[in-house]
Amino acid sequence: MILYELMDYDTLRVIWWALLGALLVGFAVTDGFDLGTGALLTAVGRTDLERRVVINTVGPVWEGNQVWLILGGGAIFAAWPQLYAVSFSGFYFAMFAILLALIIRPVAFKFRSKHESRRWRSAWDWSLVIGGIIPAVVFGVAMGNVLQGVPFRLAPDMRIFYDGAFLDLLNPFALLCGLVSLAMMLMHGAAWLVLKTDDDVAVRARRYGLVAAVAVLVLYGLAGVALWTGIEGYRVTSSIVTDGPSNPLFKTAVSQTGAWFGNYLAHPWTMAAPVSGLVGAMLAVLGLCLRWERVTLVASSASIAGIVLSVGASMFPFILPSSIQPSASLTVWDASSSHLTLFIMLIGTCIFLPLIVAYTTWVYRVLWGKVTASDIRDGRGHAY
């Protein structure tokens, strides 16, 4: 009880904002190379044996990696209920597409090698390719729309109205962000394959990884220029009550071109996020050229983490701005659950999150090493 009283409401809100960012980074980094590996499957694997090698680099770990997505969705549902309500209703068809792709992936992993037919295996291979590309693109498109503001409004009684259409989500800037996300996943998947495979698969993965890493640099740079010169950000124009009730209508906000760079100007340390995104991709290019396998994977992870965190750093304290009613935008200070709910969730997180990290670390340590064609040919380790 004493700890609860010492933990201020505004502090808990910031902690959960940071935890949400950490969970999203965890998902992007771990499940990111799953998605990238799947998307590259038919490009780096030319024969059935090579494709089995690629699949077996992620086969033992992909289920554990998706825990981060479940944790992120649960955190949004419990800690930020209004964010959950608006985003999961406004992005309903996009979320359905992601869900369908994520359902197809495990089925493909399990059924792909159950039948010797070439057509059968090819169909499941392309299912894995599609199951890797669609989530990567859609997640990026969603982030692009969040940065532009989502067309929702709040009635005085806090009822939520979403006035957008699905095709409105496919605007040029959102599609650019989708390409950034896809390039990130391809770079990360290639970095993973270079580390986990050898021979022709690794050579092809290195080639595609170089193209993807350069694409990350170019596309991320273009997105930054667009945010600075043409995309309207948002800023709060009234005083902010950090420990007040969760009612977004208690503030006023406006849209303004270049507003998303305000935090970088006010707090230069936040520049660490976009710098990590760019420098990480540069180091990934260098690592691929010099065949530094571990450096490449670490650099790719740093790039992804920096790009994801740059969205949060740019938008703070906003978590979901409204393009048609800026004052109804959801922020860290007015869209959270109650003080008690956030505190109880934090206690649970402090207990279980370290266990998840420890278990994940142990699994990767046990499964460390390259997957070779001879391992698959000899049927070692119950390969897929």
Side-chain angles (χ1 to χ4, degrees), residues 40 183 186-191 194 203-215 284-285 288:
L40 289 170
L186 293 176
M187 173 184 68
H188 203 40
V194 168
V203 171
R204 297 186 195 111
R206 185 174 293 108
R207 187 187 311 133
Y208 287 109
L210 282 170
V211 174
V214 172
V285 171
L288 288 167

Side-chain angles (χ1 to χ4, degrees), residues 45 61 68 78 92 99 141 150 152 168 195 213 230 302 315 338 352 365 383:
V61 297
W68 295 98
Y92 180 81
L99 180 61
V141 169
V150 178
F152 74 93
D168 294 338
L195 179 68
M315 293 178 58
S338 67
F352 292 105
R365 183 175 180 181

Side-chain angles (χ1 to χ4, degrees), residues 108-190:
F109 279 124
K110 300 298 183 182
F111 283 86
R112 189 256 179 204
S113 294
K114 297 295 184 181
H115 191 27
E116 295 292 338
S117 169
R118 183 175 179 179
R119 181 177 298 178
W120 168 273
R121 294 190 173 188
S122 178
W124 289 117
D125 289 342
W126 282 103
S127 296
L128 286 171
V129 172
I130 295 171
I133 292 175
I134 288 179
V137 173
V138 174
F139 278 127
V141 169
M143 287 299 100
N145 280 282
V146 168
L147 285 167
Q148 294 176 95
V150 178
F152 74 93
R153 53 190 172 86
L154 296 178
D157 60 0
M158 297 300 293
R159 284 184 298 162
I160 300 171
F161 297 90
Y162 182 83
D163 294 338
F166 173 72
L167 292 180
D168 294 338
L169 301 177
L170 305 179
N171 55 78
F173 179 74
L175 292 174
L176 173 61
C177 292
L179 292 177
V180 173
S181 179
L182 178 60
M184 287 194 315
M185 299 302 105
L186 293 176
M187 173 184 68
H188 203 40

Side-chain angles (χ1 to χ4, degrees), residues 17 23 33 53 73 132:
W17 172 80
L23 294 174
F33 66 73
V53 168

Side-chain angles (χ1 to χ4, degrees), residues 48-319:
D48 180 72
L49 182 59
E50 289 179 346
R51 292 181 182 182
R52 289 187 66 195
V53 168
V54 173
I55 291 171
N56 278 275
T57 64
V58 296
V61 297
W62 70 267
E63 289 176 292
N65 292 341
Q66 289 199 345
V67 167
W68 295 98
L69 177 62
I70 298 171
L71 291 174
I76 294 174
F77 174 78
W80 311 100
Q82 291 174 317
L83 172 62
Y84 183 90
V86 176
S87 59
F88 278 71
S89 58
F91 298 156
Y92 180 81
F93 289 108
M95 295 296 180
F96 184 82
I98 292 174
L99 180 61
L100 182 61
L102 294 181
I103 289 173
I104 290 175
R105 287 177 68 226
V107 176
F109 279 124
K110 300 298 183 182
F111 283 86
R112 189 256 179 204
S113 294
K114 297 295 184 181
H115 191 27
E116 295 292 338
S117 169
R118 183 175 179 179
R119 181 177 298 178
W120 168 273
R121 294 190 173 188
S122 178
W124 289 117
D125 289 342
W126 282 103
S127 296
L128 286 171
V129 172
I130 295 171
I133 292 175
I134 288 179
V137 173
V138 174
F139 278 127
V141 169
M143 287 299 100
N145 280 282
V146 168
L147 285 167
Q148 294 176 95
V150 178
F152 74 93
R153 53 190 172 86
L154 296 178
D157 60 0
M158 297 300 293
R159 284 184 298 162
I160 300 171
F161 297 90
Y162 182 83
D163 294 338
F166 173 72
L167 292 180
D168 294 338
L169 301 177
L170 305 179
N171 55 78
F173 179 74
L175 292 174
L176 173 61
C177 292
L179 292 177
V180 173
S181 179
L182 178 60
M184 287 194 315
M185 299 302 105
L186 293 176
M187 173 184 68
H188 203 40
W192 175 256
L193 288 173
V194 168
L195 179 68
K196 293 289 290 183
T197 65
D198 55 15
D199 298 331
D200 291 340
V201 172
V203 171
R204 297 186 195 111
R206 185 174 293 108
R207 187 187 311 133
Y208 287 109
L210 282 170
V211 174
V214 172
V216 169
L217 290 169
V218 174
L219 295 172
Y220 185 52
L222 289 175
V225 172
L227 281 176
W228 177 261
T229 60
I231 302 298
E232 291 189 343
Y234 297 81
R235 62 183 182 88
V236 178
T237 56
S238 62
S239 59
I240 300 177
V241 180
T242 59
D243 59 352
S246 291
N247 189 333
L249 297 177
F250 285 174
K251 69 175 182 310
T252 57
V254 297
S255 59
Q256 182 180 3
T257 302
W260 288 145
F261 285 80
N263 285 336
Y264 298 128
L265 298 176
H267 309 286
W269 63 269
T270 58
M271 285 293 295
V275 168
S276 176
L278 292 170
V279 173
M282 293 177 185
L283 289 176
V285 171
L286 182 63
L288 288 167
C289 291
L290 299 178
R291 301 176 185 271
W292 294 343
E293 298 173 354
R294 297 190 181 188
V295 170
T296 301
L297 186 63
V298 172
S300 177
S301 301
S303 178
I304 290 176
I307 291 173
V308 173
L309 291 176
S310 68
V311 177
S314 300
M315 293 178 58
F316 186 85
F318 291 90
I319 53 178

